[in-house]
Amino acid sequence: MCQLDYSYRSPVVVQATDADQGENGRVLYRIVSGNTIRQFSINELTGQVTRGERALDRESSNSHVLEVEAYNSDRGSMRSTVRVIVYVDDANDEPPVFTQQQYNRLGLRETAGIGTSVIVVRATDPDTGDGGAVAYALVSGSDMKFEVDVSTGLVTTIDYLDYETKTSYLMNVSATDQSPPFHQGYCTVYVTLLNELDEAVAFFSPGYEVALRENIATGTEVVQVQAQSADNLNQLSYRFDPDTSPSALALFRIDGITGRITVTGLLDREKGDLYTLTVVADDGGPKKDSTVVSITILDENDNSPHFDITSDLSVEIPENTPIGKRVAVVLARDKDIGNNGLVNFTLVAGNMQDVFEIRTTNHTYGEVYVNSDLDRETVDRYLLKVRAMDNGSPSRYTDLSLTINILDVNDNAPVIQSRNGYNISINENVGGGTSVLRVVATDRDIGSNAMLFYYITEGNQDLTFRMDRMTGEMVTRPSPPDRERQQQYRLSVTVEDDGAPNVGETHGTPFPNGTVRHWSDLTSLH
């Protein structure tokens, strides 16, 4: 018996000799054991061992032990055997095989930094040498967020992850052996991300603008602010920023869950026409957001005009004030705005015969002008009711009492009661100081303009008579009248007021200075 090594690349021939001659010396060969699955065959005549019907597989068995028999015939007893050991060299005929068809990494934190280990994939190849060496590669599905170590199969992150952008990754990984024909195996790696509070809360709008009418009912909804968080992990909450003005916080509230802002106090545009609310949205994470709500308060006609303290309440004007002259000014303002704050003035009472008119200037001033001639002797005082009315709908008004006192002007002459003069008889030789008569006159003016002075201006050349300038009483002087000397006196008496210019009256012709002379006849003395 002999032992031979066999490689399938180099055929093996077994040989045996037989000293016999002829038919008895012919040697035949056959495999008698070790070839149960017919992986080898032998030439019966030459002893050449070759591969059989079935392929060799080193990975199943890397060597085979064959027992080859040399014989003369099936009936002959002369036999000899030899053991043939066949060693099978490796060929790269096996692909790499992963230990799992799919590897799962569930709940990888989205905030995982670059270089974070994710999972290790592993593939084996039963071949030897380079045929059994495996190199790993990511084929698809990584979105440039992951890489795999070519040698170890360790999958790591190479970029920042974001749950809000993508929640999971399904990657294909290949394992390739390193010898021709380069077989490959494949597996999948499934990675899911864990959502974390890393996204900023964001309002749908950077600002809200709202207009409300003043005096709106408490509880009225102003606006609903809304924000969102891409994390969507926690319920958003809303609140006013603590730095929001106290006046705004006193008038508005916000629902912490819905973001609805409602009115909680009385809105008065005249106290504040613009409120700014800063609203903060928070999901419990580090990145909050804020927005500004600007609330404009619209005017309602809820204020009446009010007169300023500088308005004239009582004025004095001379009765000869010319038509068109301004004599009084009132000032009124309205806290409302627009038409509601435009003020117009009218005279609603006391303006008898439309003696005055009022004109509105800049919807603020009411200027009173003389509209017709004045006469103190007819009306010496006007009690005007000035109305300041706004242009709202319905309009509102306020009244003011304005007193206009008409001052006297010396525009009336004294009037002597006896318009036809006096005819008087007296006895001659009466004693001095005897009362002759009393001239009585009146003046429609008042004050100094109505203070009258009496004078004998003609006919008393011999000074027989004297007149009291204050009372108008005429008396005789100590030298008594003498009928034989003069039996009749024709005296002219002038009555003059104390005004400027003074005005007098007689029954005759006015003097050049404007005084009017009134004369009386005295009859013959008896």
Side-chain angles (χ1 to χ4, degrees):
M1 182 178 290
C2 66
Q3 178 175 313
L4 298 174
D5 288 339
Y6 167 75
S7 171
Y8 72 87
R9 295 188 184 90
S10 303
V12 172
V13 178
V14 295
Q15 288 184 333
T17 59
D18 191 324
D20 294 326
Q21 294 182 348
E23 187 65 27
N24 292 329
R26 189 176 65 152
V27 180
L28 300 174
Y29 304 92
R30 62 185 176 188
I31 300 172
V32 294
S33 66
N35 192 30
T36 55
I37 59 174
R38 304 172 64 84
Q39 289 177 305
F40 300 96
S41 64
I42 190 168
N43 189 294
E44 182 182 27
L45 298 177
T46 64
Q48 183 176 4
V49 180
T50 59
R51 293 181 60 174
E53 298 174 357
R54 301 288 296 272
L56 297 174
D57 184 9
R58 187 201 66 79
E59 288 72 35
S60 298
S61 178
N62 60 2
S63 65
H64 300 270
V65 178
L66 304 177
E67 186 176 358
V68 179
E69 180 182 65
Y71 65 98
N72 295 120
S73 69
D74 288 338
R75 298 180 180 181
S77 59
M78 303 300 292
R79 300 169 186 270
S80 178
T81 61
V82 68
R83 189 175 66 181
V84 178
I85 301 176
V86 179
Y87 293 97
V88 181
D89 290 336
D90 184 48
N92 187 18
D93 60 346
E94 295 291 333
V97 177
F98 283 95
T99 58
Q100 297 176 214
Q101 283 299 304
Q102 179 169 301
Y103 296 84
N104 297 321
R105 173 63 187 275
L106 306 180
L108 177 63
R109 294 179 60 186
E110 65 170 320
T111 56
I114 296 174
T116 299
S117 297
V118 178
I119 201 166
V120 177
V121 297
R122 182 171 178 78
T124 58
D125 192 320
D127 294 320
T128 61
D130 289 341
V134 176
Y136 301 96
L138 278 172
V139 178
S140 63
S142 70
D143 292 352
M144 303 299 292
K145 299 290 186 181
F146 303 90
E147 69 176 4
V148 63
D149 187 277
V150 66
S151 301
T152 66
L154 174 64
V155 179
T156 58
T157 60
I158 59 172
D159 196 0
Y160 294 107
L161 304 174
D162 183 14
Y163 178 90
E164 289 68 38
T165 302
K166 191 169 185 178
T167 60
S168 63
Y169 296 85
L170 183 62
M171 296 174 280
N172 291 317
V173 180
S174 67
T176 306
D177 57 31
Q178 301 302 296
S179 177
F182 302 107
H183 297 290
Q184 287 184 319
Y186 297 93
C187 74
T188 57
V189 175
Y190 181 60
V191 178
T192 63
L193 300 185
L194 176 64
N195 191 11
E196 295 182 282
L197 290 172
D198 63 333
E199 294 295 326
V201 176
F203 277 95
F204 290 154
S205 174
Y208 298 80
E209 293 185 359
V210 183
L212 297 177
R213 289 198 171 274
E214 61 179 329
N215 304 316
I216 197 169
T218 300
T220 300
E221 181 175 327
V222 178
V223 69
Q224 182 178 14
V225 298
Q226 287 186 302
Q228 64 179 354
S229 171
D231 294 321
N232 201 26
L233 288 175
N234 297 335
Q235 172 71 51
L236 286 174
S237 64
Y238 302 92
R239 67 178 185 274
F240 289 137
D241 188 281
D243 292 334
T244 301
S245 69
S247 60
L249 294 177
L251 294 173
F252 304 95
R253 69 175 295 273
I254 186 168
D255 188 295
I257 302 300
T258 64
R260 287 187 173 90
I261 298 174
T262 53
V263 177
T264 60
L266 178 63
L267 300 181
D268 185 355
R269 188 204 63 82
E270 288 71 42
K271 293 182 179 179
D273 60 357
L274 178 64
Y275 295 94
T276 300
L277 302 170
T278 300
V279 181
V280 177
D282 186 0
D283 67 349
K287 300 178 181 179
K288 304 173 179 59
D289 192 21
S290 63
T291 190
V292 174
V293 179
S294 297
I295 302 174
T296 300
I297 308 303
L298 301 178
D299 186 56
E300 285 194 336
N301 194 21
D302 59 345
N303 288 279
S304 299
H306 67 280
F307 284 93
D308 192 80
I309 60 174
T310 61
S311 298
D312 290 328
L313 300 179
S314 179
V315 296
E316 296 179 341
I317 62 173
E319 61 180 318
N320 62 349
T321 301
I323 295 174
K325 182 176 178 60
R326 188 180 72 181
V327 294
V329 177
V330 295
L331 168 63
R333 296 185 177 90
D334 194 311
K335 292 181 180 179
D336 297 318
I337 58 174
N339 287 337
N340 296 333
L342 298 179
V343 179
N344 292 301
F345 298 88
T346 55
L347 298 175
V348 295
N351 190 23
M352 295 175 292
Q353 298 180 351
D354 295 329
V355 174
F356 300 97
E357 70 170 348
I358 190 167
R359 303 172 190 171
T360 300
T361 303
N362 296 330
H363 293 287
T364 303
Y365 296 95
E367 299 178 319
V368 180
Y369 293 85
V370 176
N371 192 46
S372 64
D373 291 329
L374 302 173
D375 184 11
R376 186 207 63 81
E377 288 71 38
T378 303
V379 179
D380 64 353
R381 176 180 296 174
Y382 292 87
L383 301 178
L384 302 179
K385 182 182 287 187
V386 180
R387 176 163 294 175
M389 178 178 292
D390 61 33
N391 283 359
S393 179
S395 58
R396 300 171 69 101
Y397 66 86
T398 302
D399 291 338
L400 175 76
S401 294
L402 172 62
T403 300
I404 298 182
N405 294 302
I406 309 302
L407 300 180
D408 185 54
V409 172
N410 195 20
D411 59 346
N412 288 281
V415 176
I416 297 174
Q417 285 184 353
S418 177
R419 301 296 297 168
N420 297 320
Y422 297 88
N423 292 310
I424 301 169
S425 295
I426 64 172
N427 295 321
E428 64 178 336
N429 299 320
V430 296
T434 299
S435 177
V436 178
L437 65 85
R438 184 180 181 186
V439 178
V440 178
T442 59
D443 194 315
R444 295 181 66 198
D445 296 319
I446 59 175
S448 61
N449 295 331
M451 183 175 291
L452 302 181
F453 301 102
Y454 299 83
Y455 306 96
I456 299 173
T457 53
E458 289 184 9
N460 192 31
Q461 290 82 355
D462 59 1
L463 301 178
T464 302
F465 303 97
R466 178 178 65 82
M467 177 166 279
D468 189 303
R469 66 187 296 263
M470 301 297 295
T471 65
E473 184 177 11
M474 183 185 299
V475 298
T476 60
R477 288 183 178 275
S479 177
D482 184 356
R483 181 179 179 281
E484 286 71 30
R485 185 177 70 244
Q486 183 173 341
Q487 65 177 4
Q488 180 176 312
Y489 290 86
R490 187 178 182 84
L491 303 176
S492 292
V493 175
T494 297
V495 182
E496 192 174 62
D497 60 36
D498 196 32
N502 56 1
V503 179
E505 182 182 87
T506 68
H507 201 267
T509 303
F511 281 177
N513 66 356
T515 62
V516 178
R517 292 177 177 176
H518 179 80
W519 55 271
S520 298
D521 285 333
L522 295 181
T523 62
S524 302
L525 301 178
H526 300 285

